[in-house]
Amino acid sequence: AQSVTQLDSQVPVFEEAPVELRCNYSSSVSVYLFWYVQYPNQGLQLLLKYLSGSTLVKGINGFEAEFNKSQTSFHLRKPSVHISDTAEYFCAVSSQGAQKLVFGQGTRLTINP
Amino acid sequence: GAVVSQHPSWVICKSGTSVKIECRSLDFQATTMFWYRQFPKQSLMLMATSNEGSKATYEQGVEKDKFLINHASLTLSTLTVTSAHPEDSSFYICSARVLNQPQHFGDGTRLSIL
């Protein structure tokens, strides 16, 4: 079985500052990794995914994440955040070939002007 | 592409009534659809997985007679909350996927039972 831990429940940052949202996972098999963003009263939008290949994955809205197998991490980064990035961010994992996603607890990113 | 539409977005109803929520994949045929429940300030909890034309697979602890799922076509799945009570109030989100592609999510339905 897989599990996901998002180490920070809330992350406040100032506009135009860099940000890193941390995600660690646990799995005994090879995995696929995802980051989703949820704006208030909306569903989830896929930011980026790691399936295989390059460990540095670039997504939408200027976000990127790096898969680190030895540290079982998949941290999300953005070099300069904008007010519009204020949202809830979820890290998720699925084992290769499986249908289900296992979500982390979420990190609320708040951008202050 | 890969748009999932969920309807209604908000519903308020009296205790004891049944409520149906629709989930449609608008521009692709979904081999699998998922239903999640999300409590305030919490993560998504998978309720069930449904494949077109077959019975849904419910997660442990989810009452299948309470939450009826129908996946009649490759573009439509419905979740019916039967005899809803205040404790069923929540944010319900569906998602859909094709084969091994990532899940695409609807915008959710906020259900309030009075």
Side-chain angles (χ1 to χ4, degrees):
Chain A
Q2 294 88 38
S3 67
V4 178
T5 302
Q6 290 183 242
L7 297 160
D8 306 294
S9 60
Q10 295 187 62
V11 173
V13 295
F14 287 107
E15 193 172 16
E16 298 183 5
V19 70
E20 177 180 82
L21 306 184
R22 297 181 293 170
C23 172
N24 285 90
Y25 69 94
S26 172
S27 177
S28 58
V29 298
S30 297
V31 297
Y32 297 144
L33 293 155
F34 308 83
W35 274 99
Y36 286 88
V37 59
Q38 185 180 33
Y39 299 102
N41 296 311
Q42 292 187 26
L44 275 66
Q45 181 181 4
L46 181 66
L47 276 178
L48 48 78
K49 61 183 182 290
Y50 171 78
L51 304 180
S52 65
S54 174
T55 56
L56 183 61
V57 180
K58 293 190 183 296
I60 62 171
N61 301 343
F63 285 93
E64 64 180 32
E66 185 155 19
F67 170 57
N68 188 318
K69 189 174 182 179
S70 62
Q71 296 186 7
T72 60
S73 68
F74 191 55
H75 300 332
L76 181 71
R77 302 186 184 98
K78 185 169 182 177
S80 176
V81 295
H82 190 266
I83 291 283
S84 60
D85 293 321
T86 296
E88 190 85 18
Y89 291 80
F90 291 97
C91 181
V93 64
S94 72
S95 58
Q96 292 182 12
Q99 295 195 89
K100 298 180 189 179
L101 280 174
V102 175
F103 285 90
Q105 301 91 325
T107 297
R108 180 169 299 277
L109 177 62
T110 304
I111 312 300
N112 298 307
Chain B
V3 178
V4 176
S5 173
Q6 197 171 330
H7 178 80
S9 57
W10 198 301
V11 59
I12 302 173
C13 61
K14 293 181 179 180
S15 183
T17 59
S18 294
V19 179
K20 180 184 284 189
I21 303 169
E22 291 188 349
C23 179
R24 294 180 185 273
S25 56
L26 297 186
D27 52 359
F28 67 102
Q29 293 187 322
T31 49
T32 308
M33 287 186 169
F34 305 83
W35 288 95
Y36 295 86
R37 184 173 180 176
Q38 186 179 30
F39 292 101
K41 300 186 187 299
Q42 294 190 29
S43 189
L44 281 72
M45 179 192 78
L46 180 64
M47 299 175 66
T49 303
S50 76
N51 294 296
E52 184 265 340
S54 59
K55 288 184 179 180
T57 301
Y58 289 80
E59 294 299 301
Q60 192 172 9
V62 178
E63 300 175 60
K64 60 180 67 176
D65 295 331
K66 174 75 167 176
F67 299 100
L68 300 179
I69 292 172
N70 183 279
H71 193 165
S73 77
L74 284 171
T75 59
L76 174 65
S77 176
T78 60
L79 167 67
T80 301
V81 183
T82 61
S83 186
H85 289 92
E87 59 266 28
D88 298 323
S89 298
S90 193
F91 193 55
Y92 293 87
I93 306 175
C94 73
S95 72
R97 65 179 285 186
V98 177
L99 298 175
N100 293 323
Q101 296 301 305
Q103 294 180 32
H104 297 277
F105 289 79
D107 278 342
T109 297
R110 185 158 302 284
L111 175 62
S112 297
I113 310 297
L114 304 177

